[in-house]
Structures are given as C-alpha cells and as structure tokens.
Amino acid sequence: SSPHLVQVRERIRINGQPISKDLFNKYFWLVYNRLEETKDRVHASMPAYFRFLTIMAFHVFLQEKVDLAVVEVGIGGTYDCTNIIRAPVVCGVSSLGIDHTSILGDTMEKIAWQKGGIFKPGVPAFTVAQPERPLEVLRERAQERECPLYLCPELDDFEEDCRALELGLAGAHQRSNAALALQLARMWLQRRGYQALGELKEVPPSTELVGRPVPLAPAFRLTDAMIQGLRDTEWLGRTQVLSHGPVTWYLDGAHTTSSIQACVRWFRQATLNQDKPHDGSEVRVLLFNATGDRDTAALLKLLVPCHFDYAVFCPNFMEVSVANNADQQNFNVTLENALTRCLENQRTWTRLLEEKVGQDPWLPSPLWVGGLLQPAPARGSLLQVPPAPRPFNSPALVFPCLAQALRWVAQGRDPHLAAPAASGAHPHPAASSGVVLLREAAAIHVLVTGSLHLVGGALRLLDPALSQ
C-alpha cells in the first residue's frame, strides 16, 4: 500500500505488520544489487522510488511464501507499475474521486477508464455504487477485457436479525469499503474451495441487464471471522482519534473533494460524541496542507462549515531541517515552494471566511487585523498572518514546519510535545491571543487533514512509538 505515513516499511506488511528493519534491509540490498548488476549499461537507469518498492514487495512476498498478497495500485491502474500482475484472484475498484488529474484526466469518466485498466480476462471484479457515467465506463472496460464485473450490495444487506455490523474504521464511507472487502475475501475463499458462502454465478459480459448497468452480487451470511475482521480493522491516519489530555487530535488523510466531505461528516459527528467541557471553552483548530495538483480552494471551502477558531497551515516537513527524516522527505519539493503554497492556502481561507460573513448568522462581524510577522534571526522561527483584513474569529497562521505548528496548537498541554519557546516567540496579536485561548480552553479539538504526508508527519511527532 502507499504512501507510508511514518516509515517506508509500512508499505510492505505481512500479517498486518510492517516487515522488520532487518528484513527490509536484507531484501532492499538484494534487489538493489541485482538490478544494479543487470541494468541497461547504455542508459544506466534504475527503477524510480515507487517502482523499486513495488519490485521489492513482490520479491518479499515470494521469498516469504505468503498465501495471499493484497496489492493497492499507486495511481490510476492502467499504467501503474503494480498492473503487471497477469492473473490476480480478484480485482476491486472502490469509490471513485477526482485526484491526480494531471496524470489520470480531469473527469470521473477518464479516471474510471484508468481504474478499469486493472481488469483481467476471466478474473472477476467488483465495484461499489458509482455515479452513472463512470459506472458505465467501468462496465465498458470490463466488456473490452472480457472480465465479469459485479456491483457490491450495500453493507446493510449483510446485517441479519437487525444487528448492525461494527466497523473498526469510523465514517459512513467505510461501509462501502467494507462491502467491497467482503466480496474480495469471498472470492479468495471460493478459490480455496470454501463453499459455505455460496458460489458466485458468473454473468456473461454480453448479458443485457434490466435497469442496472452492472449485475448485483448476492449478499451472503458472514462468518464470525469476517464479523471480527470488520470490527478489528485499524488503519493509521484514516479517521483516527488521539486523545492527549485536553488536546484531541483528529487525523484523516483526506485529499479529494469526496474524501474531505466524508472527513467533515466524521469530524462533526466525532466532536459531537465527545463530552462537552463543564467549565471553560472549547477551541477548534484546523491543521491543513495539500500537495500535487489538487484544488485546495475547493477542499478548504468544504471545511469552512466546521467553524474552526484557528486555521494553521504548514508544509509536510517535520522540522525546518529534515536531514534526519529521509523516510518522510519529499526530494521533489523545496521548502520555499511548500511555504508559498501554504501562504496561498492562508489567503484562500481568509477569502472564504470573508465571503461567509453575512451569509452565515453564526459568524460574527469581522474585526480588522493585518500585518506580516517577519522571522527574527535569533529565533529562526517563522509565523505569518495575512495582511488582508479578515474575520478575527478564525485567524489563519502559517508555520515553516509541522513541529512548530503542533507545538503552537498544543501550547505545552500535550505530554508528547514540548511547549513552544516562550520568549516573545509569537508577538503578533493573532498568535498571542490564540496562546491565551489555547492555554485556557477546557478542550482543544484539532483536525489534521488535506494530505496523508501531513498526517504521517503529525503521527511521528504525536506517537513516537511508530518510529521504532
């Protein structure tokens, strides 16, 4: 799976656990040296990062003799390097969203075409409810490749005796993921000769279906192991909650419009379920960054209704110096470029809030605060607030790295984070007023979203055990 959050070893797991450092080291050099010995001497090319890790993963799985490998494509499907598997047991396409548009295309139909590229002749494939046109594109791709394609029934159809299935992953969108997982697991069990779940009858690709472009796979009676599997599933960085005293961190790597919408629904519900402080205030903070070709204005607009008291923007760099965090360093992005993007996000957030004032009776009239805080050479820290007038109820701040952003938000109240330097580190009124609010609030709720890399960096700082 990709990307990793804290350590690259997370991409290659056996029995749910990242492979050990020793095993990673052993197979890395074995594969690297073999490729080095056999590479094209004229062009002297080696596989790029993702391709290398894909080759290495296949080698690990073969050498360790796993029974079953679950392989998530990197981007798209058709041209992804994971798509060299000629005869998988089964293929699945989860809910489609607009992402990686420069590579996959800028419409759901184009993206569906790319995703359908993983279909293989005679290999059953499953998908979940999709918009009409993208679903038709998936059906056409399945017919081209003579691949039987089925629609997963809703998870409700698996719930017997009015017993709701309990999912380890929060959020309504995880129900369609669970329904897809059940169908993929069933096909594997059927291939292994397990008949108790009933056999999925193949529908010839040429069959005309009345009222539905793709045949519906039947629901089946779940085994106790399946019910337990759904309940015990964990996946870091997706709808994850970390309670650290008065500070509660809500981590979700959503980075498309559809996943941000799901994230907002989850966050609002999760904060509702939290006990309200009996005395004192509750402060909400957004920590956001987005990368690549994503439309950050569209993503931020979806987050406005959460009524954050502060919006904090920072690059995905953990520290201003990232020399010691090679696993989490993006060598394709400079700090300057990343900060420029953060400042653009800050201006966008400010504009969105100004547009919201007057439309939303819950937002107070704007108080004008302007100015730009320049970095002080003695401190080496950077904090910027927009020069444009904006509503003071949600100041937008930019920090040069995650560590500084998290420390400012937590104000020494999270035992996992050191307190920010006190000596005049945040003289700007927007920042210093925040210090008072954050230090006195009975509860601080922080949503970290927009990028899996941002969430991974936050996790490394908030849960140091993940770095071991």
Side-chain angles (χ1 to χ4, degrees):
S1 63
S2 64
H4 62 272
L5 292 173
V6 177
Q7 298 196 66
V8 67
R9 295 182 294 109
E10 298 164 30
R11 295 177 183 237
I12 306 173
R13 298 168 183 256
I14 296 179
N15 293 335
Q17 296 302 311
I19 60 173
S20 68
K21 288 181 180 179
D22 288 344
L23 214 54
F24 187 93
N25 191 43
K26 169 188 167 183
Y27 287 121
F28 175 91
W29 288 113
L30 199 154
V31 173
Y32 184 92
N33 291 333
R34 189 70 57 82
L35 290 169
E36 183 68 39
E37 292 162 11
T38 57
K39 72 182 180 184
D40 185 330
R41 292 296 168 196
V42 178
H43 299 100
S45 59
M46 286 282 277
Y49 185 83
F50 184 82
R51 290 190 177 198
F52 180 92
L53 289 172
T54 303
I55 295 166
M56 181 175 157
F58 289 141
H59 187 72
V60 170
F61 296 149
L62 287 166
Q63 294 300 308
E64 295 296 311
K65 298 180 171 53
V66 301
D67 302 301
L68 167 69
V70 180
V71 180
E72 180 202 26
V73 301
I75 293 176
T78 300
Y79 304 116
D80 193 80
C81 65
T82 57
N83 200 26
I84 60 167
I85 302 172
R86 293 175 184 165
V89 173
V90 63
C91 297
V93 176
S94 57
S95 184
L96 296 170
I98 297 286
D99 197 16
H100 302 293
T101 52
S102 60
I103 299 170
L104 304 181
D106 55 3
T107 68
M108 293 276 272
E109 289 79 6
K110 290 175 182 175
I111 290 169
W113 187 91
Q114 295 280 1
K115 302 280 185 182
I118 65 170
F119 296 157
K120 301 291 184 289
V123 174
F126 294 86
T127 190
V128 296
Q130 311 279 10
E132 185 178 353
R133 273 298 298 142
L135 186 59
E136 287 175 3
V137 172
L138 288 176
R139 181 193 65 188
E140 289 161 9
R141 292 286 270 162
Q143 288 175 338
E144 282 170 23
R145 291 167 175 259
E146 299 181 339
C147 155
L149 175 65
Y150 300 89
L151 200 60
C152 293
E154 298 290 333
L155 197 61
D156 297 5
D157 297 341
F158 292 93
E159 295 177 335
E160 297 179 349
D161 308 323
C162 300
R163 281 190 312 140
L165 286 167
E166 189 183 334
L167 299 186
L169 296 175
H173 57 292
Q174 297 294 357
R175 292 182 68 79
S176 76
N177 289 336
L180 179 60
L182 289 172
Q183 294 294 343
L184 301 182
R186 177 206 203 174
M187 287 310 303
W188 165 247
L189 290 168
Q190 188 174 309
R191 171 73 72 88
R192 300 280 285 208
Y194 186 83
Q195 299 298 329
L197 301 175
E199 196 161 341
L200 182 66
K201 299 290 190 291
E202 186 171 324
V203 178
S206 57
T207 306
E208 283 296 322
L209 301 163
V210 180
R212 188 183 288 116
V214 176
L216 188 68
F220 51 88
R221 187 178 182 86
L222 302 186
T223 64
D224 290 343
M226 287 176 163
I227 293 168
Q228 183 183 344
L230 294 178
R231 185 174 60 240
D232 294 347
T233 297
E234 293 179 342
W235 201 256
L236 297 181
R238 276 78 164 182
T239 60
Q240 183 181 1
V241 180
L242 293 176
S243 295
H244 291 180
V247 189
T248 306
W249 304 90
Y250 301 83
L251 305 161
D252 192 85
H255 50 269
T256 66
T257 51
S258 54
S259 60
I260 287 282
Q261 284 171 329
C263 171
V264 166
R265 287 193 296 269
W266 161 71
F267 175 71
R268 295 177 85 168
Q269 188 60 50
T271 50
L272 273 178
N273 293 342
Q274 287 277 344
D275 292 334
K276 296 296 174 194
H278 297 297
D279 52 341
S281 60
E282 177 184 336
V283 176
R284 286 188 176 193
V285 182
L286 169 67
L287 179 55
F288 179 91
N289 192 40
T291 58
D293 53 10
R294 298 185 175 93
D295 182 355
T296 50
L299 303 183
L300 288 170
K301 188 172 184 177
L302 295 169
L303 290 158
V304 169
C306 291
H307 298 295
F308 293 103
D309 298 291
Y310 293 93
V312 176
F313 302 96
C314 70
N316 293 340
F317 298 117
M318 280 184 54
E319 302 277 359
V320 178
S321 168
V322 290
N324 297 324
N325 297 311
D327 271 12
Q328 293 189 299
Q329 185 170 356
N330 185 341
F331 293 95
N332 300 316
V333 179
T334 66
L335 177 59
E336 185 181 5
N337 289 343
L339 270 175
T340 300
R341 179 130 189 198
C342 291
L343 289 165
E344 289 169 0
N345 292 340
Q346 180 191 47
R347 284 191 289 271
T348 300
W349 183 257
T350 301
R351 177 177 53 77
L352 287 168
L353 285 176
E354 287 174 346
E355 290 171 0
K356 190 77 174 161
V357 171
Q359 300 173 17
D360 190 334
W362 296 102
L363 284 178
S365 302
L367 297 173
W368 308 121
V369 177
L372 182 67
L373 179 68
Q374 298 297 338
R379 291 200 314 271
S381 66
L382 176 74
L383 172 76
Q384 295 173 298
V385 296
R390 55 176 170 52
F392 189 68
N393 76 301
S394 185
L397 311 175
V398 170
F399 290 87
C401 67
L402 251 168
Q404 288 190 25
L406 292 179
R407 286 179 195 131
W408 182 81
V409 171
Q411 285 301 317
R413 304 181 69 189
D414 182 330
H416 294 93
L417 294 170
S423 56
H426 305 296
H428 193 280
S432 48
S433 72
V435 167
V436 175
L437 282 175
L438 291 165
R439 285 181 182 166
E440 294 182 353
I444 303 169
H445 298 292
V446 193
L447 175 62
V448 184
T449 193
S451 160
L452 277 165
H453 302 288
L454 179 77
V455 167
L459 269 174
R460 187 179 185 124
L461 291 161
L462 296 169
D463 188 355
L466 293 173
S467 302
Q468 302 309 309

